[in-house]
Amino acid sequence: MNRRKFIRQAGTVIGGTLASPYIMPSGLMSMSTTAPMAEHVVFVLFAGGVRQQESVLQQYLAGSQNENVEGNIMYNMLSGAPPNDKIAYGRDDIQNNIIGAIPIDRILQTPLAEQGTLFPEVRFSKGGAGHYNGLSTGVSGNYELSQSLRARPASPTIFEYLRRHAGFKATDTWFVGVDIGGSRPLLNYSEHPDYGRRYGGNFLAPLTTFGAPGMKHFMDFKNYHPETEWEIIREIRGFLNQNFSTEGLEIPHLYNSEEEAYQIREFVRSTFEKVKANNLILPPVNDNRDLKAIGYAVEVLQWFKPKLLVVDLSDIDVCHANFTAYLKNVHRADHGVGFLWREIQRIPEMQNNTIMIVMPEHGRDLAPNPIQDLNMWYAFDHSTGNLNTRRIFSLVVGPGVQGNLRVGSESNPVGDAADIAPTIADIFGIKQQVIDKGLLDPAAMSLFDRI
Amino acid sequence: MQTSGKYFVIAMLIIGSLSMVACRRDVTVFGIDDLTILPINSEKNKPKTSAQYISVLYTNLFQRAIGPNDMLSAQKAIESIGDKQIAYDILVSKYMNDPTLVLPTNEEMRADPETFVRNTYTRFLIRQPTEAELAWMLNYINSRPNVTPELIYFSFATSNEHFHY
């Protein structure tokens, strides 16, 4: 065999191997599936609209309040020295009555930007910079410009793509919302006729489930025996449902199996016990809602080890009226993300096998509104048409992700807010199937294809 | 004279035509129309809102109306869990722990299971059971000593039919 023929034949074998279908864990097989890059993905929607100036640009007060103090208040995620003056983003110094004077200790010795790849200038390229638009775009990869607020996304969410094309079960996919406001409970599946509730992800708003409403109506719910009492309930209910078999008329469930439903009920029961015993997993500093939501997200991770968990944070949005509180919550969101990454590495099934993605749902205005806080610092909204609201970043970290890499710059933005859904599909090996459906925004593509 | 004769002819014509009509034989054609036989519960095709469901559920279980604050917090709790079957299962499980729940005793159910079944259908599904449903339920109760009114109430309360109106 001559050399040219050998290379040609070897190339055919290698090409055939690369093109051969990957059999998904569910047994589904397709020519367009490929081996997953990781077994788990955690996607953080960060965290109510953050300005580039106080995040990746690390301008602290210099980019907003005309004060010459710069520095990095997100040192778990980003590389860079913290501010050395006018510290107002940390914990309150109660003894000396100074708000935010004590910065929170870093959790990660190596910032995530050094462990992974940072896209510092991503664009929220279409539509108004509203929270629902941002969250919906994040989970669906489509801006849905005509979407109303109290409606499910019109395009499939990543939960539906994964359940339908990768064969994931319901408890493999979770959306942990910081609360039930802003139509968050509608983001776990779309209205698309080919997808929808049949492929929806599980949703949990833990601060409500385990807060006052849940304590009143869920806590200490009766513990029926799974093999005797529940069996009777299943049989009688099955008979009743069989006699009410009009298509589609059912309590809107998510096709969790009986075993999955049992696991969810037990998770709720177990978590209430932890709440009562003050034994929840929480970040070292947990003095806002976002950090508590992250603690509950870790509880979900520990219990279910899901393939995909999306958690959204929103306390940064106080920036509409209080810039100091905004700085504190940006600092805390970074603390929460660092804690989340540390806890993922403490779960044996997820350690070194999880890719985490962090992306703000949108930015905020360049110019302030007239509202001043106790420090006389001005607040910022997120207004339709303001170009600064379109400036966001994306951070990807985990196995197979190149470390210490920055892709793009202010003069050369790389990435779009609609990229995350195809990126997650790429990680789980179903990118081509998702693209072929033609339901993503035209600008959307896997971040791995942008490197 | 000519005029009266003319009237006479006209009158005779009218009487003649009336008598012809009156003498026509009625022909009745009997036929069979197509009729779709629907289940007894087929008119329940609208899902209840969470407020409607919780309100009806609470009334059925406690025989009194839920207060507005409890209603609001129950709605929030339900909204916080994505799978509504699981959320309602937990809610009903919680209500089953409430000592003010109005529930027949096991002895009452077993003393007259037919009345219990009929009352349960009426309470939760606003209708009487069909003969087939009644037979199935009576057989189920009589053949399983572990079946309790609580488990039957739970099943009815969280059934698809109870969620629709």
Side-chain angles (χ1 to χ4, degrees), chain B residues 42-61:
Chain B
S42 62
E43 290 183 355
K44 295 175 185 171
N45 55 12
K46 292 185 281 294
K48 291 171 182 163
T49 63
S50 65
Q52 289 169 326
Y53 176 81
I54 293 164
S55 173
V56 171
L57 171 75
Y58 194 92
T59 305
N60 284 338
L61 293 179

Side-chain angles (χ1 to χ4, degrees), chain A residues 19-65:
Chain A
S20 58
Y22 177 76
I23 300 173
M24 307 303 285
S26 62
L28 294 177
M29 184 177 74
S30 166
M31 284 306 291
S32 53
T33 54
T34 55
M37 296 169 62
E39 290 296 321
H40 308 273
V41 172
V42 173
F43 173 28
V44 184
L45 281 154
F46 184 100
V50 64
R51 284 167 27 109
Q52 291 287 82
Q53 286 74 13
E54 289 77 44
S55 54
V56 292
L57 298 178
Q58 303 181 17
Q59 294 177 348
Y60 192 45
L61 300 174
S64 58
Q65 309 299 335

